[in-house]
Amino acid sequence: MTATLLRTAAELHARARAGRRAVVMTMGALHEGHATLIRTARKIAGPDGEVVVTVFVNPLQFGAGEDLDRYPRTLDADVELAARSGADVVFAPAVEEVYPGGEPQVRISAGPMGERLEGAARPGHFDGMLTVVAKLLHLTRPDIALYGQKDAQQLALIRRMVRDLNFGVEIVGVPTVREEDGLALSSRNRYLSSAERRTALALSQALFAGRDRHAAQQALRARASEVPATRARAEALSAIGESRAAADAHAVATTTGGPAAVRAAARLVLDEAVRLDPPLALDYLALVDPSDFTEIGDDFTGEAVLAVAARVGTTRLIDNVPLTFGTFGAAS
């Protein structure tokens, strides 16, 4: 399959449309994570639909001292990967096409959610991201737009913008793609030396430690709820590695579970990574409500996101895993 490279919105708008148009927005330097997004878009659009991949390095998303100039630009390889993955079109506009009047005076504000976590670490980043996403949605006119769940806060903000501003487009989140050792795929991974990459594994390892702790808590609570409040309960709990002091189901539910234990398990891994060579420099570890990215309390129930951001050398990486609190066996 081949993909047509287009540079202007006029060229894209001139194409005949039959089925649904699905758009995957990227900043280029495509990898297997992007390929998964494109393949998912192809399935959703169907044989009669159209898949458009945008490649645009948005200057509004880069703050002072960030890596705009060194951000990888590999358009020829991007077109080839997009075509292999099922794209019909690669839309790679110039800055002048997206911002014809120069730097835009009117921008979209990400609001309070955009000032937390990534927004606090990178002031103005989410305003720039939402502004270009809005622009590209107008320029590409899709029925569906797909984004990776690795950028969980970005995905949440796009969904909020689409809802709040009545964009007529369906937003689809696609699960994070990882390398065999667990490192989340990112265009910035290529900046890492072999030693830095070993340290960077602490991000995913911390998240998995938190997730595994949560899964163990859920399994314990489920077992505790099934055992009558008798000596048999203490024996059953002892058999799965818990002390007899935890025999009371209420104690099991309140002292061995919850967000605090998840954070502690993840933090232990990150604390060890600070002492590696090269060390990991933690920006944040957060366990948040995905509706607004505020920290959850110990009595929280529902969907949550365990998120981490850190620097290894000069490279900044982010990662996250989804969790569910309040339902036995629901950890993801």
Side-chain angles (χ1 to χ4, degrees):
M1 183 173 182
T2 60
T4 302
L5 176 63
L6 301 179
R7 297 285 193 172
T8 70
E11 293 173 316
L12 184 59
H13 297 167
R15 289 176 62 88
R17 292 179 63 170
R20 297 191 296 172
R21 174 177 287 172
V23 165
V24 174
M25 295 183 186
T26 82
M27 293 206 300
L30 302 189
H31 50 64
E32 182 57 29
H34 297 109
T36 299
L37 284 166
I38 298 166
R39 288 192 292 266
T40 304
R42 181 79 272 164
K43 291 178 183 177
I44 293 174
D48 298 326
E50 181 181 57
V51 175
V52 176
V53 176
T54 70
V55 175
F56 181 66
V57 181
N58 178 34
L60 300 188
Q61 288 175 239
F62 292 80
E66 292 190 330
D67 55 357
L68 173 61
D69 291 337
R70 73 167 184 146
Y71 195 87
R73 291 162 172 83
T74 57
L75 183 58
D76 290 344
D78 293 343
V79 173
E80 292 180 8
L81 184 147
R84 290 197 306 270
S85 304
D88 300 293
V89 173
V90 172
F91 177 52
V95 172
E96 295 75 20
E97 177 74 11
V98 178
Y99 303 120
E103 188 169 314
Q105 298 300 301
V106 176
R107 306 188 188 198
I108 292 180
S109 170
M113 195 194 326
E115 298 172 356
R116 299 173 185 133
L117 299 187
E118 283 300 289
R122 307 175 65 189
H125 167 74
F126 284 127
D127 291 356
M129 179 277 294
L130 289 179
T131 298
V132 79
V133 167
K135 294 274 286 186
L136 289 172
L137 288 174
H138 290 315
L139 292 172
T140 59
R141 301 174 182 175
D143 302 288
I144 310 138
L146 297 89
Y147 302 89
Q149 292 178 357
K150 184 179 82 72
D151 297 298
Q153 193 171 2
Q154 170 179 283
L155 175 59
L157 282 162
I158 291 170
R159 282 179 164 149
R160 186 61 183 256
M161 177 185 73
V162 165
R163 183 172 70 250
D164 286 356
L165 300 184
N166 300 102
F167 280 73
V169 60
E170 177 186 354
I171 302 299
V172 174
V174 178
T176 300
V177 178
R178 300 184 179 278
E179 300 191 37
E180 289 186 4
D181 57 11
L183 186 68
L185 285 175
S186 168
S187 299
R188 291 186 169 91
N189 289 353
R190 67 185 67 195
Y191 298 154
L192 298 169
S193 68
S194 57
E196 288 171 342
R197 197 182 185 287
R198 287 193 294 271
T199 296
L201 292 175
L203 275 77
S204 56
Q205 290 168 352
L207 297 177
F208 298 161
R211 182 185 63 188
D212 291 347
R213 177 59 177 155
H214 181 54
Q217 293 166 359
Q218 295 289 82
L220 177 60
R221 288 172 175 172
R223 285 288 298 272
S225 68
E226 294 170 359
V227 178
T230 63
R231 180 173 179 176
R233 172 180 301 189
E235 293 171 351
L237 289 170
S238 293
I240 59 174
E242 293 296 317
S243 69
R244 291 177 183 271
D248 180 81
H250 177 73
V252 170
T254 57
T255 65
T256 66
V262 171
R263 291 186 183 97
R267 174 70 67 172
L268 184 62
V269 175
L270 296 170
D271 287 345
E272 293 176 355
V274 171
R275 295 186 287 273
L276 295 176
D277 183 20
L280 180 138
L282 182 65
D283 276 0
Y284 62 76
L285 172 70
L287 185 54
V288 298
D289 182 338
S291 69
D292 60 8
F293 271 70
T294 58
E295 289 280 352
I296 64 172
D298 286 340
D299 59 348
F300 180 86
T301 59
E303 301 296 320
V305 172
L306 180 62
V308 64
R311 290 186 183 275
V312 183
T314 61
T315 304
R316 187 174 185 277
L317 300 170
I318 63 172
D319 200 354
N320 72 85
V321 293
L323 299 173
T324 303
F325 288 87
T327 305
F328 295 147
S332 19

